Amino acid sequence: MKRFFIGALAFIGALSILFVVGVVGLLMLAASSKPGVPSNLVLELDLQQPLPEYTLDTSLAGAFGEEPTSLRDVVEGLEKARTDPRVKSLVVRVGQPGSAAQVQELRDAVKAFRASGKRAVAYADGFGEAGNGTGAYYLASAFDAVYIQPSGDVGLTGLVMETPFARDAFAKFGVKPEFGKRAEYKNAVNTFTDTSYGPHQREATEAYGQSLFNQVVKGVAEGRKLSEDEVRALIDRAPFMGQAAVDAKLVDGLRYRDEIHDELKQQAGDGAQLLYVDKYLERAGRPNQTGTTIALIYGVGEVLRGKSQSNPLSGGQVMGGDTVAAAFRKAVEDPSVKAILFRVDSPGGSYSASDTIRREVQRAREAGKPVIVSMGTYAASGGYFVAMAGDKIVAQPGTLTGSIGVYNGKFVTSELWAKLGVNFDTIAFGKNATFSSSDQDFTPEQRAQLESELDTIYLDFTSRAAQARNMPLEKLQSVARGRVWTGEDALERGLVDALGGYPKALELAKEAAKLEKDAPVRIVVFPRPRPTGQVLSEMLGKHEADNSDDEAAGSQAVMSSQLLEQVRAVYRVGAKLGLTGQGAEGRMLYAPVPDVRW
């Protein structure tokens, strides 16, 4: 009987494996017979949610569920479409386009598309609907025409920056934050220790917000052919309903989706069809697929030790020091790679993991492989640490940049547990064994050790940054001090070399590789995606890595779904208050991103 059950289980297991393999095979077969590109089409894009910077190689994610369209997909899709005679125009539904830097990347792509003589139209049910639609409208203003429904509005009301302060809440619960920081603008710990903006945090936050606001005003003024003074006056009068938005020259008309689509298809000619940008890119093929090889390496998310992975609660990703470092080593070892484009989108994190990646950037350059850094939404603290060693750094005007500083510490929770009737007793072996303990305050000696550690890391950070940016240490430290800048302000202070996105970074990569500006290139993502068969084997317990580099180049991805969205909202609030995350060990070089509502 025992043998029967064992045999039955083995048979069921074999059938399960065959089923999975069969499903994967059928999906791969279906993928190989995809339709072509229509001969006459209007590109369509839905921006109801922000585009992800990058999706980890989640292996079977592409087989069992469509991978989300990335920011790079859209940028390259519009680049491809510029010279494709089959593409007549572009129509985009604008909703929540993301951060300032993401919006600017999309604006640049749209303007380049329009420069080829093709029409681009943006529309929305409304920009804000009694809320703030400034970011969405900022993107829409880059199009040839902007429409809203007759029932819609334009909530071009400006920017609001909000920061939670939880010192009193921690005190009520019996939680004592014990932190130190370098330097005065390193405001990550202020949420735990203050009740409102202090002078330094207020100064930096106001300067950052003012820079972003000026960029929005300038962009809207250029796009809508208004003066900046007129735009500022309109912002102070907003929101505008329907016809009032038309009268203010903020929109070109009041139209429904079907009317806009019908008009564009009619203008495109007989038989014109709509096609999503990602589907077009999938069928037409990406640009930059032949020629000299340039490696593209992503550094996305909070920097931590180990492998890159996704976080199903935050919806974000972790930049694993091992994974990104291994990707650099693989790119350096590949003789066909002539330059490396390093896309960084990170608020920072672990000091040691950041240094692991910075070291490989340095080694790549020493091996004769120039590294051009392209910064996305942010490259702050540890995110700037990994970027600063590049040959050139490119940022969008709205990229949150810098925060060259450090903090460390712990939460002491003994009083909280005592209120709950839980008492901890400690027996320690070693004078500083309780250094990281949440049950005891720092001793005077431990506090001195913490302060010494902060001094050492801050000096290391600023010294390396000064060397990388060819800047005297005193000058670098004057713009460091833990302060964040917009990319536009960072350019003025020598922290970045140029403003722009993927196209600008690629231009500089060609230049660094001593290629002509129009030379064809082949962009290859490192680490390279793993074959479906290999991933399936790993899911079944078989590991194909031959060495530590192969092992590190993989990733640990956790699939998430829309069912997690409400949990994520709670998680994000907790993260701001320091109630979630990796703890002090992984967040020494970290800059909390200001909550900008626009």
Side-chain angles (χ1 to χ4, degrees):
M1 182 63 70
K2 182 178 180 180
R3 288 184 178 180
F4 171 77
F5 281 117
I6 292 174
L9 289 172
F11 178 71
I12 292 171
L15 283 180
S16 299
I17 294 172
L18 288 173
F19 174 77
V20 172
V21 172
V23 170
V24 171
L26 289 173
L27 289 169
M28 292 176 67
L29 180 63
S32 65
S33 58
K34 290 176 181 176
V37 177
S39 59
N40 193 14
L41 66 94
V42 175
L43 282 185
E44 183 180 6
L45 179 62
D46 192 320
L47 292 177
Q48 290 300 294
Q49 296 295 329
L51 298 168
E53 181 65 53
Y54 172 63
T55 301
L56 281 169
D57 174 19
T58 54
S59 57
L60 298 179
F64 292 107
E66 200 167 286
E67 292 184 8
T69 304
S70 71
L71 183 62
R72 178 186 167 222
D73 290 338
V74 173
V75 171
E76 292 196 341
L78 296 186
E79 178 185 346
K80 181 81 171 182
R82 291 202 310 254
T83 56
D84 189 339
R86 296 171 296 187
V87 178
K88 301 301 190 297
S89 58
L90 168 70
V91 59
V92 177
R93 183 185 182 189
V94 182
Q96 298 293 332
S99 69
Q102 289 175 313
V103 167
Q104 288 163 349
E105 189 95 37
L106 292 169
R107 281 174 57 90
D108 290 346
V110 169
K111 288 191 285 187
F113 178 85
R114 291 176 56 194
S116 67
K118 298 182 180 182
R119 192 161 186 249
V121 174
Y123 76 95
D125 306 337
F127 293 101
E129 192 165 16
N132 199 328
T134 300
Y137 184 79
Y138 176 40
L139 171 58
S141 66
F143 288 70
D144 289 287
V146 183
Y147 298 105
I148 57 173
Q149 287 186 177
S151 55
D153 69 340
V154 176
L156 182 65
T157 55
L159 281 65
V160 176
M161 309 188 75
E162 295 180 335
T163 301
F165 294 94
R167 188 187 74 180
D168 291 347
F170 283 125
K172 287 179 180 178
F173 284 110
V175 176
K176 181 180 179 181
E178 283 217 353
F179 286 89
K181 65 180 182 178
R182 297 293 182 277
E184 65 268 34
Y185 291 100
K186 192 68 176 179
N187 57 40
V189 303
N190 294 11
T191 286
F192 318 137
T193 60
D194 296 356
T195 58
S196 62
Y197 288 121
H200 292 106
Q201 186 175 9
R202 180 174 294 278
E203 176 193 352
T205 304
E206 286 182 348
Y208 175 80
Q210 187 65 59
S211 181
L212 282 184
F213 183 71
N214 292 343
Q215 292 168 29
V216 171
V217 169
K218 181 179 179 181
V220 172
E222 291 177 349
R224 299 304 299 173
K225 296 181 173 55
L226 299 167
S227 71
E228 292 187 20
D229 287 342
E230 286 176 313
V231 173
R232 292 177 191 275
L234 289 171
I235 289 173
D236 288 340
R237 289 167 47 204
F240 298 91
M241 290 297 298
Q243 188 58 45
V246 177
D247 295 340
K249 300 181 181 178
L250 292 174
V251 299
D252 297 283
L254 307 177
R255 295 187 182 181
Y256 291 100
R257 173 190 179 279
D258 60 290
E259 296 174 311
I260 298 166
H261 283 208
D262 288 346
E263 179 186 34
L264 288 173
K265 286 193 288 185
Q266 184 178 4
Q267 290 174 351
D270 293 340
Q273 300 180 42
L274 290 165
L275 185 64
Y276 280 125
V277 171
D278 62 321
K279 298 297 183 185
Y280 166 76
L281 186 66
E282 183 182 313
R283 300 176 192 180
R286 290 184 178 276
N288 305 314
Q289 291 299 294
T290 59
T292 304
T293 300
I294 292 179
L296 172 58
I297 297 175
Y298 285 98
V300 175
E302 188 173 346
V303 190
L304 293 177
R305 295 181 295 178
K307 291 185 179 182
S308 296
Q309 55 187 289
S310 61
N311 185 332
L313 291 179
S314 69
Q317 296 179 15
V318 164
M319 186 198 313
D322 290 352
T323 299
V324 178
F328 269 95
R329 289 193 291 271
K330 292 286 188 183
V332 169
E333 292 167 2
D334 190 328
S336 69
V337 173
K338 302 305 178 186
I340 299 172
L341 201 166
F342 186 24
R343 179 73 172 188
V344 176
D345 194 359
S346 171
S350 163
Y351 171 49
S352 58
S354 299
D355 194 36
T356 295
I357 297 170
R358 182 211 59 81
R359 169 66 175 169
E360 294 303 332
V361 174
Q362 175 187 324
R363 291 183 68 240
R365 294 181 61 190
E366 292 171 351
K369 303 286 176 85
V371 179
I372 306 300
V373 178
S374 171
M375 305 201 306
T377 294
Y378 36 61
S381 203
Y384 189 77
F385 198 99
V386 304
M388 64 189 182
D391 289 271
K392 298 284 185 181
I393 301 177
V394 181
Q396 286 290 355
T399 298
L400 189 146
T401 308
S403 191
I404 299 173
V406 56
Y407 79 92
N408 200 3
K410 64 182 180 180
F411 291 101
V412 179
T413 58
S414 54
E415 185 180 338
L416 167 65
W417 288 113
K419 289 181 178 181
L420 297 175
V422 180
N423 299 302
F424 286 86
D425 201 356
T426 303
I427 298 176
F429 301 92
K431 188 175 181 180
N432 290 319
T434 61
F435 189 89
S436 300
S437 172
S438 62
D439 303 321
Q440 298 184 23
D441 293 354
F442 287 122
T443 65
E445 294 80 10
Q446 289 172 347
R447 185 74 199 193
Q449 180 66 31
L450 172 67
E451 297 297 332
S452 176
E453 181 182 82
L454 294 174
D455 286 336
T456 299
I457 295 174
Y458 184 65
L459 180 60
D460 179 60
F461 196 165
T462 54
S463 298
R464 290 184 186 277
Q467 181 180 18
R469 300 304 301 165
N470 296 315
M471 191 183 297
L473 179 59
E474 295 77 13
K475 182 178 179 181
L476 188 283
Q477 288 182 334
S478 71
V479 298
R481 301 159 68 188
R483 183 164 179 168
V484 297
W485 307 93
T486 62
E488 186 175 64
D489 290 343
L491 177 65
E492 293 180 5
R493 288 157 179 80
L495 296 179
V496 303
D497 299 288
L499 298 180
Y502 279 105
K504 182 62 179 180
L506 181 57
E507 175 189 323
L508 293 178
K510 288 183 180 181
E511 182 180 303
K514 296 181 171 54
L515 301 174
E516 296 293 329
K517 186 175 182 179
D518 296 328
V521 294
R522 173 174 171 258
I523 297 178
V524 178
V525 176
F526 282 75
R528 302 196 183 201
R530 294 169 295 169
T532 302
Q534 178 184 339
V535 174
L536 182 60
S537 296
E538 291 179 3
M539 288 178 64
L540 297 174
K542 182 178 180 181
H543 296 281
E544 301 289 344
D546 292 332
N547 52 54
S548 59
D549 273 354
D550 289 342
E551 180 74 19
S555 60
Q556 297 174 335
V558 182
M559 297 301 292
S560 58
S561 71
Q562 293 180 346
L563 295 177
L564 291 170
E565 190 52 41
Q566 292 184 351
V567 178
R568 287 176 176 174
V570 175
Y571 178 90
R572 286 191 285 267
V573 172
K576 288 181 182 179
L577 298 178
L579 303 179
T580 61
Q582 301 296 324
E585 179 270 333
R587 298 167 69 91
M588 297 175 74
L589 302 186
Y590 183 80
V593 181
D595 187 3
V596 181
R597 290 193 292 108
W598 70 335

